[in-house]
Amino acid sequence: MAVYISVLPPEEMPLMPLREVVMFPKAIAPLFVGRESSIKSIENAIARYDRHIFLVSQRDSSVTRPAADDLFKIGAVSRILQLLRLPDGTIKVLVEGMYRAHWKPLRALPAAEEGDDPFRTVRVRRFEEAEAEGEENPGGRAALIDLLEEYAKFNKKLTPSVLEAVTANRRPGALADAVAPHIKADYLKKQAVLEEADPVKRLDMVLDMLQAEVLIWGMDRRIKSRVKTQMERNQREYYLNEQIKAIHKEMGKEENSREELDDLEKAVNLKKLPDEARDKALHELKKLRRMPSSSAEYTVLRNYVDWILDLPWNELKATSIDLDKARGILNADHHGLDKAKERILEYLAVQKLAGSLKGPILCLVGPPGVGKTSLARSVASATGREFARLSLGGVRDEAEIRGHRRTYVGALPGKIIQSLKRVRSNNPLFCLDEIDKLSTDFRGDPASALLEVLDPEQNYAFVDHYLDLDYDLSQIFFITTANSLHGISLPLQDRMEIIKLPGYLETEKQSIGRHFLMPRQIEAHGLTSGNVRLSENALLEIIRCYTKEAGVRNLERELARICRKTAVKIAEADDGNRNVTVSCRNLPEFLGVKKFRYGERENDPQAGVCTGLAYTELGGELLLVETALMPGTGKVLTTGKLGEVMQESAQAALSYVRSRAELFGLRRDFHKDIDIHVHVPEGAVPKDGPSAGITLTTSLVSALLGVPVRNDLAMTGEITLRGRVLPIGGIREKLLAAHRGLISTVILPKDNERDLKDVPEEILKGLTLVFVRHVDQVLPCALVAESEEIFPGRSESHPLHHSLRRGECLDETPAAH
């Protein structure tokens, strides 16, 4: 432990304050003195005190005339070694520290002369450290020497001779005092070292200071090294770019690049752009001017500016709405579709009167081939708008709609913006085709991105990720198409007005084939109207036996095949005036064997076989349901690739039959001894929906009772466990399928009677429609048996017995309906 022992009496000597400098014992340091009071203290020390002077640090270096409280209480008694007066009146003095000391003013001088300090001469008291044996602290000394050697690599003032002299000190206090002056640390930290009485603690304090300086110097060296490397790389790139510029200048390319940027800036200023887009383009052009044309970023910025210039921001094509002209174009391009045409004309009439496009987005829903896309093209032609089409089938990336951000390599705007660039008009008719075929995966939901595009309240400020600018889509006439509403999300449906396009009737297909498709194919195959003659019966045969669709695409393919065969015959005969007649007799020579059987009903009534009606994307279809019974343990098997809803309908049908087993003359546990197999043919085709409920029930009852089902009758309707028959959809298409399948009687839910107004008279001709509310009304009409045979468990006195006789109390609608 260190103790202080006063070995000399207090001494008097001049005091000189130091600013941001701490004097240590045994240290030699040069000082530049400029204050008048300090110069007088030095002169006084030389003249009267044998060159001894007391040096102490100021607490605040900004104080010019420090008082006693502005100085630390511990300083160093020093000796002046050399003195040099400089021309500017200042003094350079070399001093050597001798020992630590406390100080106090010698006396107060109230009558001091102007400019004198009351504590210029002070009394000091020296302290000596009495160190006990074993205080050398070899561990701390070794660590300090190692750090000092590393520090000497950064601090060039620590020469090998100085380093050797410093490390020669063996005692901790002397070593700390020798090292501290060479550390570039804050003077307050050095003052704390000077004031520390314990030599070992003083050594630890110096060790911490030195370690911090080594870390700072090391970090500074690494930063400078990285900066130097980066500067060398930048200098190299700059040098190479300057050489490239010089080469381009010699070849005349540099002038071309500058001229291109000038032309771009002129184009930006001349084009009618929104203020935001113009400011963005000019900002990017400024970047281009400061960037070498060989840079990869240059191409990215240049493409971005080109996109801004190529888009039709405020370029609107002059449009006119003439309802008579629009009606004529729609009728000339499409046969039928009266409901869709009427709605489109209403839409155009409102736009003409209101003078604004803002309104509902039209969505045309219908089977393939009925003319949805071509109808949109006709609307564009009728309104004088450019036509843009975007197929959404299979699109699963949101960026296809909103575009990619420019940070990605090869980024481009979305398909909406790309299409507008292609048509060069900001008010086209935009057809979003196959909107129900959108997909979703980890890349986003494009259907959600379309919500903004198709919302009139939002699309005036559509933001494409690539442009990152507001783009006005409100002037665009959007029409979407879909085969069904099943694949369209409800929020997206809410933004559109649904217009359903039904399948074509046979008579409509005949007219379309005769007046639209056949002339187009004759022209496409280089023929004339006199080269091929297709009879009406042959055309009807093609529709019935070679195509099976709601639209007319396959019909056009078959007509094209006839034209190709005709072209071969004419080319082989080398007679351009030859006439080829196609009739029902020679039709197989052109189209081969028949592909479909017209009229798919069963030839004879059979037990367990019932004909239902289904609605698909291709239109209406006849649906056979077969039920077979086998000895077993009560298992129920359903096959034919039935969906979950249709399987549940089969379960509901069985539960209904079991609940009324006694009424049908069956044992209550009849199902325990048999296995029931329900099959719907064409097993490769998926089938689903609730509308086969009464068909499944009738087939099951027929099989259980062994009573055949009429083969000229078809039915459709959903069933409940209580036997109620609920309404279904697709009445028009289903009745068309029944008409095409030579069905004479159709059983429908009573609540669907109101839907007959949408069914053409030619479909109803020859059909007897029976409307029912309960399955008990279906069975007497469908089964080839009397009510007593179907319901043997019902007594003559039962109130429903007489009402369920065949043909009684049923709402029948004959062909004259």
Side-chain angles (χ1 to χ4, degrees), residues 406-669:
R406 282 192 290 160
T407 53
Y408 295 101
V409 177
L412 285 173
K415 297 294 186 182
I416 302 289
I417 299 298
Q418 292 185 38
S419 299
L420 293 177
K421 175 187 174 183
R422 186 167 55 252
V423 299
R424 297 185 177 279
S425 171
N426 204 36
N427 61 338
L429 187 143
F430 210 118
C431 178
L432 298 174
D433 220 355
E434 310 293 348
I435 197 172
D436 57 327
K437 306 299 190 301
L438 287 171
S439 303
T440 303
D441 66 2
F442 64 94
R443 288 169 289 190
D445 184 5
S448 299
L450 281 176
L451 293 178
E452 181 184 4
V453 175
L454 298 180
D455 191 343
E457 301 297 331
Q458 301 181 44
N459 60 10
Y460 68 90
F462 172 72
V463 178
D464 185 275
H465 288 161
Y466 180 83
L467 293 178
D468 199 24
L469 297 169
D470 289 346
Y471 196 94
D472 186 5
L473 302 180
S474 62
Q475 298 296 321
I476 300 176
F477 189 166
F478 284 104
I479 293 182
T480 65
T481 70
N483 294 130
S484 69
L485 296 175
H486 179 70
I488 306 177
S489 65
L490 292 179
L492 197 55
Q493 290 187 37
D494 184 60
R495 283 162 170 79
M496 302 183 295
E497 180 172 345
I498 309 300
I499 299 178
K500 294 186 177 181
L501 304 184
Y504 290 115
L505 306 176
E506 278 187 356
T507 55
E508 291 175 334
K509 289 183 179 181
Q510 281 183 282
S511 179
I512 293 171
R514 176 67 63 190
H515 300 103
F516 292 91
L517 304 183
M518 196 62 184
R520 184 163 64 191
Q521 291 302 321
I522 289 175
E523 181 181 358
H525 289 81
L527 304 174
T528 63
S529 58
N531 291 136
V532 58
R533 180 180 177 276
L534 181 65
S535 67
E536 289 294 334
N537 290 334
L539 180 58
L540 186 60
E541 186 78 3
I542 295 172
I543 295 172
R544 290 179 172 178
C545 301
Y546 290 90
T547 64
K548 188 179 180 181
E549 59 180 344
V552 291
R553 283 202 182 117
N554 288 327
L555 175 60
E556 186 171 13
R557 293 189 185 101
E558 298 301 327
L559 295 178
R561 190 176 178 185
I562 291 176
C563 291
R564 290 196 300 271
K565 297 287 186 181
T566 302
V568 171
K569 292 179 180 292
I570 294 176
E572 288 177 347
D574 196 18
D575 183 6
N577 296 322
R578 182 177 178 179
N579 178 270
V580 177
T581 301
V582 181
S583 62
C584 292
R585 182 177 300 178
N586 64 354
L587 187 60
E589 298 178 10
F590 292 86
L591 301 181
V593 297
K594 297 179 179 180
K595 299 178 181 179
F596 304 100
R597 184 164 63 104
Y598 181 73
E600 297 179 351
R601 76 177 194 182
E602 292 294 310
N603 295 326
D604 301 304
Q606 299 182 38
V609 180
C610 185
T611 304
L613 296 172
Y615 175 69
T616 67
E617 292 184 357
L618 298 177
E621 297 284 348
L622 293 183
L623 189 72
L624 290 179
V625 177
E626 303 174 348
T627 302
L629 305 179
M630 301 155 288
T633 59
K635 296 180 181 178
V636 178
L637 179 65
T638 56
T639 57
K641 208 169 184 179
L642 306 185
E644 184 177 351
V645 177
M646 199 166 182
Q647 293 184 33
E648 291 176 353
S649 295
Q651 293 289 341
L654 178 59
S655 297
Y656 166 76
V657 174
R658 288 180 57 189
S659 68
R660 303 174 71 85
E662 294 181 355
L663 188 63
F664 292 123
L666 302 173
R667 300 193 328 268
R668 288 188 176 182
D669 58 349

